[in-house]
Amino acid sequence: MPRTAATRTNRAKATTAAKKPATAAPPPRRELPLPEGVRLVHVGPHKTGTTAVQNALWNARSSLREQGVHHAGRSRNPSNAVRAVAEQPSPYSVDKPPSMRNWHDLVREIERARASRVVVSSEFFAWADEDQIRRIVDDLDLERIHVVVTLRPLLRVMPSMWQQNIQQGTVAPFEDWLRQVLADPKRAFWRLERHDHLIDRWVAVVGVERVTGVVVDDRDHGAVMRAFEGLLGLTPDTLRAERDLMNRSLTLAEAEAVRAFNVAFKAEDLPRDLHARTMRFGAAQLMKRRVPPPGERPVTVPAWAYPDVARIQGEIVAGIRASGVAIMGDLALLEDAPAPPTHEPEPLPGIPPDVVGSMGLGLLSTTGAIRQAAVSKGPFKFAEPAEVTRVPTYQLFGALAGRAWRGSVGRISLPRRRENED
């Protein structure tokens, strides 16, 4: 789809407006609800409350149907369909995206929906480049599509993204990863979390009037739900923000436990799909059932990074204002950062034994041994996956437990090098 003269004019205005102070004029407000017939596409990006929105939509789908809204997809997040059209690899493969059949099935479901409005939410839409966005828009019909981008401060997003990367196999400590991200504007992290650039990519294809930004207020978890209710014409309290223990943030100790596992896993050159089964969608999720004690340190941005993060956040807010998209919520919240810590925290002394125990049980659960034992009520008898024959789970767990007791996790390191993934 070629860029229109209006799009070029909007970009020219954006370039001029970007030079103005971020507080020069408030962004336009969105008229609510969106018109009937709309197909609302929530593109994320990652770590901006996407899971909370998806859970709320999924849990309320019967009420949505009664109110004339169809929630598209066979699950909370139709990730396989969106990964396919955005050409993002499946977590269970190295470089191969899911089959495009997944996307075609989702499009057919949306086309057949008889509801007044349709909503589909997946943070993997944020990976799409302009050509892929055109494919998405062509398939979903430009005249009916409306794009929503959720917006969250970098100070919140950065620790969350590192934790996600850790669960995907990254071995870099947080501060090393943070230095790499801040030093490289072409890193994949910025493709997702430069929210101004993400908005620009979608505006270039669908037009400014078809994009809305929703500011996530971490002090009011219901605000984003009310925004989606307004957009979809839902009655108040249809969407509810629920505490999701399985989606909570890892503490620093928990993240370091996973990183220690990644170091051992990487050293053995084991396959990525095995890591996805055992850690990313296995132990890392199951260990979140643990309730951290008060005072267990979260992952936070260190004081030395605040100036760079604040500068980039200011550029993002200025770019969003310059784009001309309607905003729900207060953009100033993105720049409303707490004061940086006055001193750096003490190094993590070691991984608490209960963290190791929790992750160990999670790893054991991924083998199926716990389920088999529960059924047979007999001794543990199971075969380990062929891929880990050389490094059995009990050895990886034992090595990790030893590191925890010795308090040596802070010394885990590998030669610094650029990671393949953010």
Side-chain angles (χ1 to χ4, degrees):
M1 181 184 299
R3 296 187 184 179
T4 64
T7 300
R8 290 192 293 271
T9 300
N10 285 335
R11 285 195 171 277
K13 290 179 179 178
T15 303
T16 302
K19 299 176 182 178
K20 299 178 181 179
T23 57
R29 298 288 177 175
R30 173 62 58 203
E31 291 186 14
L32 302 177
L34 295 173
E36 291 191 3
V38 76
R39 293 168 176 174
L40 189 155
V41 180
H42 176 210
V43 305
H46 298 267
K47 303 307 174 185
T48 60
T50 52
T51 301
V53 170
Q54 290 155 7
N55 284 344
L57 291 167
W58 180 260
N59 292 338
R61 59 193 182 279
S62 61
S63 179
L64 264 60
R65 284 193 295 269
E66 293 171 0
Q67 298 182 57
V69 176
H70 176 76
H71 179 230
R74 298 179 181 177
S75 62
R76 291 168 174 81
N77 179 355
S79 58
N80 278 345
V82 183
R83 283 179 185 271
V85 73
E87 300 180 20
Q88 289 298 302
S90 164
Y92 296 109
S93 68
V94 178
D95 297 309
K96 185 178 179 182
S99 167
M100 278 296 288
R101 287 196 304 270
N102 295 285
W103 174 248
H104 297 320
D105 288 345
L106 182 64
V107 171
R108 276 194 296 271
E109 177 190 340
I110 292 172
E111 288 176 340
R112 292 171 180 171
R114 295 295 178 259
S116 299
R117 298 177 179 89
V118 175
V119 57
V120 58
S121 173
S122 178
E123 55 271 36
F124 292 101
F125 281 117
W127 285 97
D129 60 26
E130 284 197 20
D131 288 339
Q132 292 157 355
I133 291 172
R134 290 190 186 96
R135 170 68 185 271
I136 293 166
V137 172
D138 287 346
D139 287 350
L140 297 183
D141 187 355
L142 172 63
E143 297 305 315
R144 301 183 66 179
I145 199 169
H146 192 91
V147 175
V148 173
V149 182
T150 36
L151 311 168
R152 197 165 179 236
L154 283 176
L155 282 174
R156 298 278 190 177
V157 168
M158 285 176 147
S160 295
M161 280 295 286
W162 176 74
Q163 291 176 52
Q164 177 170 305
N165 294 345
I166 284 293
Q167 293 172 64
Q168 294 173 356
T170 293
V171 297
F174 179 53
E175 293 201 30
D176 288 358
W177 175 88
L178 190 57
R179 288 187 179 92
Q180 293 164 6
V181 166
L182 291 172
D184 185 0
K186 294 184 178 180
R187 201 169 172 94
F189 173 87
W190 297 116
R191 178 173 186 77
L192 302 173
E193 305 305 342
R194 280 292 307 224
H195 298 161
D196 52 338
H197 295 172
L198 174 60
I199 286 172
D200 283 348
R201 289 202 299 275
W202 285 88
V203 165
V205 177
V206 304
V208 68
E209 71 283 355
R210 297 185 182 277
V211 179
T212 298
V214 173
V215 179
V216 176
D217 186 347
D218 287 297
R219 299 167 299 184
D220 179 6
H221 296 295
V224 70
M225 303 303 167
R226 293 192 294 273
F228 276 82
E229 287 171 347
L231 290 163
L232 294 169
L234 300 171
T235 58
D237 295 326
T238 298
L239 303 180
R240 298 184 180 182
E242 297 181 354
R243 183 170 180 265
D244 183 4
L245 189 62
M246 296 297 284
N247 195 47
R248 73 166 174 83
S249 296
L250 298 175
T251 66
L252 180 59
E254 290 169 336
E256 284 291 352
V258 177
R259 192 174 72 83
F261 173 86
N262 293 347
V263 170
F265 193 94
K266 189 179 183 72
E268 291 297 329
D269 196 26
L270 296 169
R272 184 185 302 177
D273 61 334
L274 177 61
H275 189 280
R277 293 196 303 272
T278 57
M279 179 55 69
R280 181 177 178 183
F281 299 119
Q285 292 301 311
L286 294 172
M287 71 187 294
K288 292 177 186 179
R289 294 176 179 173
R290 170 182 176 265
V291 179
E296 188 165 305
R297 278 170 49 192
V299 182
T300 56
V301 173
W304 61 261
Y306 266 60
D308 281 338
V309 173
R311 172 182 55 79
I312 298 169
Q313 186 68 74
E315 294 173 1
I316 291 172
V317 171
I320 293 171
R321 289 184 185 277
S323 72
V325 301
I327 297 294
M328 300 181 69
D330 186 0
L331 269 180
L333 289 175
L334 300 184
E335 295 182 292
D336 186 17
T342 56
H343 61 277
E344 300 296 344
E346 294 294 323
L348 188 69
I351 302 174
D354 68 314
V355 172
V356 178
S358 177
M359 192 174 77
L361 283 175
L363 288 168
L364 188 61
S365 179
T366 64
T367 68
I370 289 178
R371 290 189 298 274
Q372 181 177 339
V375 172
S376 66
K377 296 187 182 299
F380 282 78
K381 294 180 180 179
F382 63 95
E384 291 179 326
E387 301 96 322
V388 289
T389 301
R390 293 185 301 116
V391 188
T393 300
Y394 75 86
Q395 288 187 5
L396 288 171
F397 174 55
L400 180 58
R403 290 181 187 275
W405 285 110
R406 293 193 300 272
S408 61
V409 68
R411 294 192 293 274
I412 296 172
S413 62
L414 288 177
R416 292 186 181 178
R417 57 185 175 185
R418 178 169 175 159
E419 296 299 310
N420 292 326
E421 277 191 328
D422 285 315

